[in-house]
Amino acid sequence: MAAPVLTAGLLGAALVWGQTPVHEVRLNAPGAGEPERLGAVFGVEPGSPLAREEIPAGVQALLATGTVEYVAVEIEEVVEGIVVHVDVQVASLVRSLVVEGLPRRYRRELETQLGLAVGSPLQVNRFVGTLQRAEESLRGRGYPDALLD
């Protein structure tokens, strides 16, 4: 998974931070169950002047929800003020967890070690690392052909 990134479009010299009003916030969040909630978390409201610090604060707020992996922001100056384009990549969610081929004791231990809960966001990098450590642990416990995928 790539690191979350914030990008901002280049603005003309005419933009005055803290004085130019936000005309519209356009949130693009394919797969989001409640896009209006993400818009509220971002926190930039139409009609209010846009302060420079609101953009990184909004991005951090979205990432802090745990349901968002990536945010890109572009600011467009229009006659009416500013249009803020927010592109969000929603985190993948764990749909199910199936452990097969292990005794019940090891199954429960593996489920705990992986730290996955159905419906929770899947943090891919963390998951891959934990999966590799769990595989090594199983091999050390007498399962030389253990393969977790």
PDB file of all heavy atoms in Angstrom, residues 1-6 63 68-71 89 122-126:
ATOM      1  N   MET A   1       0.846  -1.167   0.000  1.00  0.00           N
ATOM      2  CA  MET A   1       0.000   0.000   0.000  1.00  0.00           C
ATOM      3  C   MET A   1       0.888   1.226   0.000  1.00  0.00           C
ATOM      4  O   MET A   1       1.816   1.337   0.777  1.00  0.00           O
ATOM      5  CB  MET A   1      -0.889  -0.035   1.248  1.00  0.00           C
ATOM      6  CG  MET A   1      -1.705   1.211   1.425  1.00  0.00           C
ATOM      7  SD  MET A   1      -2.840   1.150   2.815  1.00  0.00           S
ATOM      8  CE  MET A   1      -1.731   1.047   4.193  1.00  0.00           C
ATOM      9  N   ALA A   2       0.595   2.129  -0.870  1.00  0.00           N
ATOM     10  CA  ALA A   2       1.361   3.374  -0.938  1.00  0.00           C
ATOM     11  C   ALA A   2       1.019   4.255   0.253  1.00  0.00           C
ATOM     12  O   ALA A   2      -0.062   4.178   0.816  1.00  0.00           O
ATOM     13  CB  ALA A   2       1.027   4.104  -2.235  1.00  0.00           C
ATOM     14  N   ALA A   3       1.962   5.095   0.624  1.00  0.00           N
ATOM     15  CA  ALA A   3       1.731   6.023   1.725  1.00  0.00           C
ATOM     16  C   ALA A   3       0.670   7.036   1.324  1.00  0.00           C
ATOM     17  O   ALA A   3       0.566   7.406   0.164  1.00  0.00           O
ATOM     18  CB  ALA A   3       3.031   6.729   2.087  1.00  0.00           C
ATOM     19  N   PRO A   4      -0.154   7.467   2.294  1.00  0.00           N
ATOM     20  CA  PRO A   4      -1.146   8.494   1.975  1.00  0.00           C
ATOM     21  C   PRO A   4      -0.451   9.749   1.460  1.00  0.00           C
ATOM     22  O   PRO A   4       0.596  10.134   1.957  1.00  0.00           O
ATOM     23  CB  PRO A   4      -1.819   8.777   3.321  1.00  0.00           C
ATOM     24  CG  PRO A   4      -1.492   7.605   4.169  1.00  0.00           C
ATOM     25  CD  PRO A   4      -0.200   7.055   3.665  1.00  0.00           C
ATOM     26  N   VAL A   5      -1.036  10.361   0.462  1.00  0.00           N
ATOM     27  CA  VAL A   5      -0.403  11.504  -0.169  1.00  0.00           C
ATOM     28  C   VAL A   5      -1.397  12.652  -0.241  1.00  0.00           C
ATOM     29  O   VAL A   5      -2.576  12.452  -0.468  1.00  0.00           O
ATOM     30  CB  VAL A   5       0.065  11.148  -1.598  1.00  0.00           C
ATOM     31  CG1 VAL A   5       0.609  12.367  -2.306  1.00  0.00           C
ATOM     32  CG2 VAL A   5       1.117  10.064  -1.559  1.00  0.00           C
ATOM     33  N   LEU A   6      -0.894  13.831  -0.044  1.00  0.00           N
ATOM     34  CA  LEU A   6      -1.698  15.038  -0.212  1.00  0.00           C
ATOM     35  C   LEU A   6      -1.126  15.790  -1.387  1.00  0.00           C
ATOM     36  O   LEU A   6       0.065  16.084  -1.427  1.00  0.00           O
ATOM     37  CB  LEU A   6      -1.623  15.902   1.049  1.00  0.00           C
ATOM     38  CG  LEU A   6      -2.102  17.348   0.919  1.00  0.00           C
ATOM     39  CD1 LEU A   6      -3.601  17.368   0.654  1.00  0.00           C
ATOM     40  CD2 LEU A   6      -1.764  18.138   2.163  1.00  0.00           C
ATOM     41  N   LEU A  63      -7.789  10.476   7.194  1.00  0.00           N
ATOM     42  CA  LEU A  63      -6.926   9.317   7.412  1.00  0.00           C
ATOM     43  C   LEU A  63      -7.119   8.740   8.811  1.00  0.00           C
ATOM     44  O   LEU A  63      -7.042   7.528   9.018  1.00  0.00           O
ATOM     45  CB  LEU A  63      -5.462   9.690   7.179  1.00  0.00           C
ATOM     46  CG  LEU A  63      -5.105  10.065   5.738  1.00  0.00           C
ATOM     47  CD1 LEU A  63      -3.684  10.595   5.662  1.00  0.00           C
ATOM     48  CD2 LEU A  63      -5.295   8.877   4.806  1.00  0.00           C
ATOM     49  N   VAL A  68     -10.058   5.275   5.459  1.00  0.00           N
ATOM     50  CA  VAL A  68      -9.507   5.922   4.271  1.00  0.00           C
ATOM     51  C   VAL A  68      -8.019   5.612   4.186  1.00  0.00           C
ATOM     52  O   VAL A  68      -7.302   5.722   5.174  1.00  0.00           O
ATOM     53  CB  VAL A  68      -9.739   7.455   4.345  1.00  0.00           C
ATOM     54  CG1 VAL A  68      -9.006   8.172   3.241  1.00  0.00           C
ATOM     55  CG2 VAL A  68     -11.216   7.769   4.304  1.00  0.00           C
ATOM     56  N   GLU A  69      -7.557   5.215   3.002  1.00  0.00           N
ATOM     57  CA  GLU A  69      -6.145   4.898   2.793  1.00  0.00           C
ATOM     58  C   GLU A  69      -5.371   6.029   2.133  1.00  0.00           C
ATOM     59  O   GLU A  69      -4.171   6.155   2.338  1.00  0.00           O
ATOM     60  CB  GLU A  69      -6.002   3.672   1.876  1.00  0.00           C
ATOM     61  CG  GLU A  69      -6.458   2.395   2.481  1.00  0.00           C
ATOM     62  CD  GLU A  69      -6.285   1.223   1.539  1.00  0.00           C
ATOM     63  OE1 GLU A  69      -6.320   1.389   0.306  1.00  0.00           O
ATOM     64  OE2 GLU A  69      -6.116   0.120   2.048  1.00  0.00           O
ATOM     65  N   TYR A  70      -6.028   6.809   1.317  1.00  0.00           N
ATOM     66  CA  TYR A  70      -5.339   7.776   0.464  1.00  0.00           C
ATOM     67  C   TYR A  70      -6.266   8.964   0.226  1.00  0.00           C
ATOM     68  O   TYR A  70      -7.461   8.793   0.032  1.00  0.00           O
ATOM     69  CB  TYR A  70      -4.990   7.101  -0.865  1.00  0.00           C
ATOM     70  CG  TYR A  70      -4.362   7.992  -1.895  1.00  0.00           C
ATOM     71  CD1 TYR A  70      -2.986   8.192  -1.924  1.00  0.00           C
ATOM     72  CD2 TYR A  70      -5.140   8.627  -2.851  1.00  0.00           C
ATOM     73  CE1 TYR A  70      -2.416   9.018  -2.884  1.00  0.00           C
ATOM     74  CE2 TYR A  70      -4.567   9.456  -3.809  1.00  0.00           C
ATOM     75  CZ  TYR A  70      -3.204   9.639  -3.818  1.00  0.00           C
ATOM     76  OH  TYR A  70      -2.638  10.463  -4.757  1.00  0.00           O
ATOM     77  N   VAL A  71      -5.680  10.163   0.235  1.00  0.00           N
ATOM     78  CA  VAL A  71      -6.452  11.372  -0.038  1.00  0.00           C
ATOM     79  C   VAL A  71      -5.633  12.274  -0.955  1.00  0.00           C
ATOM     80  O   VAL A  71      -4.438  12.480  -0.722  1.00  0.00           O
ATOM     81  CB  VAL A  71      -6.763  12.150   1.262  1.00  0.00           C
ATOM     82  CG1 VAL A  71      -7.559  13.407   0.954  1.00  0.00           C
ATOM     83  CG2 VAL A  71      -7.489  11.287   2.267  1.00  0.00           C
ATOM     84  N   GLN A  89      -9.506   7.354  -1.449  1.00  0.00           N
ATOM     85  CA  GLN A  89      -9.480   5.903  -1.662  1.00  0.00           C
ATOM     86  C   GLN A  89      -9.904   5.265  -0.351  1.00  0.00           C
ATOM     87  O   GLN A  89      -9.227   5.402   0.663  1.00  0.00           O
ATOM     88  CB  GLN A  89      -8.075   5.425  -2.047  1.00  0.00           C
ATOM     89  CG  GLN A  89      -7.932   3.913  -2.137  1.00  0.00           C
ATOM     90  CD  GLN A  89      -8.807   3.315  -3.222  1.00  0.00           C
ATOM     91  OE1 GLN A  89      -8.804   3.778  -4.346  1.00  0.00           O
ATOM     92  NE2 GLN A  89      -9.556   2.288  -2.877  1.00  0.00           N
ATOM     93  N   LEU A 122      -8.673  -3.287   6.356  1.00  0.00           N
ATOM     94  CA  LEU A 122      -7.505  -4.140   6.174  1.00  0.00           C
ATOM     95  C   LEU A 122      -6.303  -3.254   5.898  1.00  0.00           C
ATOM     96  O   LEU A 122      -6.237  -2.587   4.864  1.00  0.00           O
ATOM     97  CB  LEU A 122      -7.709  -5.105   4.998  1.00  0.00           C
ATOM     98  CG  LEU A 122      -6.528  -5.999   4.657  1.00  0.00           C
ATOM     99  CD1 LEU A 122      -6.207  -6.928   5.825  1.00  0.00           C
ATOM    100  CD2 LEU A 122      -6.810  -6.803   3.409  1.00  0.00           C
ATOM    101  N   GLN A 123      -5.373  -3.225   6.827  1.00  0.00           N
ATOM    102  CA  GLN A 123      -4.134  -2.467   6.647  1.00  0.00           C
ATOM    103  C   GLN A 123      -3.131  -3.424   6.009  1.00  0.00           C
ATOM    104  O   GLN A 123      -2.508  -4.240   6.689  1.00  0.00           O
ATOM    105  CB  GLN A 123      -3.647  -1.921   7.979  1.00  0.00           C
ATOM    106  CG  GLN A 123      -4.659  -0.979   8.594  1.00  0.00           C
ATOM    107  CD  GLN A 123      -4.337  -0.621  10.026  1.00  0.00           C
ATOM    108  OE1 GLN A 123      -3.579  -1.303  10.689  1.00  0.00           O
ATOM    109  NE2 GLN A 123      -4.931   0.448  10.494  1.00  0.00           N
ATOM    110  N   VAL A 124      -3.000  -3.326   4.698  1.00  0.00           N
ATOM    111  CA  VAL A 124      -2.300  -4.325   3.908  1.00  0.00           C
ATOM    112  C   VAL A 124      -0.857  -4.542   4.363  1.00  0.00           C
ATOM    113  O   VAL A 124      -0.440  -5.680   4.577  1.00  0.00           O
ATOM    114  CB  VAL A 124      -2.355  -3.969   2.401  1.00  0.00           C
ATOM    115  CG1 VAL A 124      -1.555  -4.957   1.583  1.00  0.00           C
ATOM    116  CG2 VAL A 124      -3.803  -3.922   1.929  1.00  0.00           C
ATOM    117  N   ASN A 125      -0.080  -3.491   4.523  1.00  0.00           N
ATOM    118  CA  ASN A 125       1.325  -3.671   4.915  1.00  0.00           C
ATOM    119  C   ASN A 125       1.450  -4.373   6.262  1.00  0.00           C
ATOM    120  O   ASN A 125       2.266  -5.275   6.433  1.00  0.00           O
ATOM    121  CB  ASN A 125       2.057  -2.327   4.961  1.00  0.00           C
ATOM    122  CG  ASN A 125       2.315  -1.769   3.580  1.00  0.00           C
ATOM    123  OD1 ASN A 125       2.292  -2.491   2.591  1.00  0.00           O
ATOM    124  ND2 ASN A 125       2.539  -0.476   3.502  1.00  0.00           N
ATOM    125  N   ARG A 126       0.634  -3.952   7.218  1.00  0.00           N
ATOM    126  CA  ARG A 126       0.654  -4.581   8.538  1.00  0.00           C
ATOM    127  C   ARG A 126       0.241  -6.044   8.432  1.00  0.00           C
ATOM    128  O   ARG A 126       0.849  -6.922   9.019  1.00  0.00           O
ATOM    129  CB  ARG A 126      -0.281  -3.828   9.486  1.00  0.00           C
ATOM    130  CG  ARG A 126      -0.304  -4.384  10.883  1.00  0.00           C
ATOM    131  CD  ARG A 126      -1.317  -3.607  11.761  1.00  0.00           C
ATOM    132  NE  ARG A 126      -1.610  -4.326  12.950  1.00  0.00           N
ATOM    133  CZ  ARG A 126      -2.495  -5.310  13.053  1.00  0.00           C
ATOM    134  NH1 ARG A 126      -3.191  -5.683  12.004  1.00  0.00           N
ATOM    135  NH2 ARG A 126      -2.704  -5.921  14.196  1.00  0.00           N
TER     136      ARG A 126
END
